[in-house]
Amino acid sequence: MSIKKNDPGKVLSLGKDARGNDVYALSVKGERGMVYRLVNSFLGLYGIGENELSLVDSGAGDNFYLLAGLLFCRFHLLAPLGRYLIFCGVKKHYGRISQLTFDVQSRSGKSSLTAESKL
Amino acid sequence: MKIIYHCYGGAHSSVTAAAIHLGLLPENRVPTRAEFCAVPLYDRQEADEHGHFFFMGKDQAGHEVFLTARRSRPGVLENIFTGLAEIFGIPEDDYYLVNVMGEVNLTMKLGGFLSRRWGAVRVGRPIVAMGTQAAYLQLVKLVQRVKSEVGGYSENTVLQRKHLSPGRPGGGNSHGTPGGGGETGQKFLEPAVFEYQKK
């Protein structure tokens, strides 16, 4: 799945999990705090309960490979190298990602939404 | 309908636009610096509040007016807002995002930077107020365009309906028609219901 450069903050639907929760992805470069405030403020604006949406920051533990890969992917010729580094980074990071996912699944009840954010 | 004015820091242009919308500032003349400074939230918002929606009040047509800061990322605000609205089944005609940055001049940017970023309020606030005075009539026009887009106001207070390019997610749809229910005359003398609170 690719997010276009001019689509920062776009909420992408990834499907439903085994418990029936809707899972979304949201990608914003920087502005981590502002995104949290935006989402929480939106929920307050429309009187939506906080348990209806869980915002999970999956980008907090990004490693060197992932960051270098993302950098290389910006340049057309270095994109294959970038993809390889991202692959290595995800592989190294996989344990933490799966643990994060497990934690989120264990604390989320049915019918609530989960937005996986990569800030 | 919720009308949300947004700009970089949510301290000057969006506050001024929201105040014009609510009748707290006059539409027929440029206010004094003291009048600007008397508007709640003018030159007040701090960086750690960026992203919050501040409720400014209800206008004559019953629309709720908010303002927010989104730094230099208007796309992030619009995408997140429309994305969440879609998820929770909120219709597109229930909100209206208005980007006010198009009306901001260099003086406002300089004054706002000095006052908000550097904390030099005594130096920055008069400069930003001067810049707001220079941009004021453009802000009035923007607010009038917004009012003509959302409808529900008296014909005396709005211009002809025009396409509003910045800040409107999903194109330039218009909602409702002008006319009916609105109050005429000098709104500055009779401000709309006013309050603000952090949402």
Side-chain angles (χ1 to χ4, degrees):
Chain A
M1 181 166 289
S2 66
I3 296 169
K4 287 177 190 169
K5 219 176 182 179
N6 56 353
D7 273 347
K10 195 155 193 174
V11 184
L12 300 167
S13 176
L14 300 176
K16 277 185 190 285
D17 69 2
R19 293 180 179 191
N21 298 310
D22 293 310
V23 181
Y24 299 90
L26 166 65
S27 171
V28 179
K29 199 165 84 179
E31 313 290 7
R32 194 178 243 107
M34 194 181 79
V35 171
Y36 274 97
R37 286 190 291 272
L38 264 177
V39 172
N40 288 330
S41 210
F42 178 91
L43 298 180
L45 203 65
Y46 285 99
I48 298 162
E50 282 183 13
N51 57 340
E52 286 291 311
L53 187 133
S54 165
L55 194 65
V56 182
D57 188 353
S58 62
D62 280 357
N63 55 30
F64 171 77
Y65 292 97
L66 277 170
L67 297 174
L70 287 170
L71 183 71
F72 285 129
C73 277
R74 288 186 192 176
F75 307 102
H76 191 68
L77 287 173
L78 297 172
L81 176 62
R83 276 195 288 272
Y84 177 73
L85 286 172
I86 287 172
F87 172 74
C88 294
V90 171
K91 211 170 159 185
K92 267 187 172 292
H93 198 38
Y94 195 77
R96 269 193 289 182
I97 293 173
S98 60
Q99 182 61 44
L100 178 81
T101 314
F102 179 76
D103 291 343
V104 171
Q105 279 179 337
S106 61
R107 69 165 184 255
S108 68
K110 192 162 168 58
S111 84
S112 69
L113 305 168
T114 302
E116 291 277 353
S117 65
K118 168 77 170 69
L119 303 171
Chain B
M1 177 186 273
K2 290 173 174 50
I3 298 166
I4 300 158
Y5 289 97
H6 61 92
C7 65
Y8 184 93
H12 307 110
S13 55
S14 57
V15 175
T16 308
I20 295 167
H21 192 116
L22 292 167
L24 294 168
L25 291 172
E27 287 191 18
N28 58 347
R29 65 173 174 86
V30 177
T32 61
R33 286 181 212 173
E35 281 177 297
F36 283 124
C37 295
V39 173
L41 288 175
Y42 186 83
D43 198 37
R44 298 289 194 282
Q45 202 174 149
E46 300 291 342
D48 62 353
E49 293 170 314
H50 290 176
H52 278 298
F53 295 104
F54 288 90
F55 179 58
M56 281 289 280
K58 263 190 182 182
D59 66 9
Q60 290 95 336
H63 302 307
E64 291 174 296
V65 179
F66 294 85
L67 64 94
T68 191
R70 42 54 172 182
R71 294 182 188 161
S72 54
R73 316 293 290 276
V76 169
L77 169 71
E78 286 163 12
N79 284 332
I80 289 179
F81 202 98
T82 49
L84 291 176
E86 251 176 60
I87 290 170
F88 291 106
I90 294 156
E92 214 179 88
D93 57 3
D94 194 58
Y95 58 90
Y96 200 113
L97 297 168
V98 186
N99 187 358
V100 193
M101 276 308 284
E103 319 305 328
V104 175
N105 54 36
L106 270 176
T107 316
M108 284 181 82
K109 286 178 187 171
L110 174 70
F113 187 78
L114 289 171
S115 174
R116 297 295 88 210
R117 180 70 68 87
W118 282 7
V121 178
R122 288 184 70 179
V123 182
R125 193 169 288 176
I127 295 173
V128 76
M130 211 163 65
T132 313
Q133 284 177 319
Y136 190 74
L137 294 176
Q138 286 166 292
L139 287 167
V140 169
K141 277 184 189 169
L142 175 78
V143 171
Q144 287 173 334
R145 283 210 303 273
V146 171
K147 284 184 174 182
S148 84
E149 289 275 336
V150 297
Y153 302 91
S154 158
E155 283 176 11
N156 292 348
T157 60
V158 296
L159 296 174
Q160 288 294 310
R161 185 178 296 181
K162 285 178 185 172
H163 176 69
L164 192 73
S165 52
R168 180 71 188 121
N173 298 339
S174 59
H175 312 285
T177 51
E183 291 159 26
T184 56
Q186 179 51 269
K187 286 186 289 171
F188 183 55
L189 299 173
E190 296 176 51
V193 179
F194 178 76
E195 59 179 311
Y196 78 91
Q197 63 190 49
K198 192 186 285 185
K199 283 274 176 180

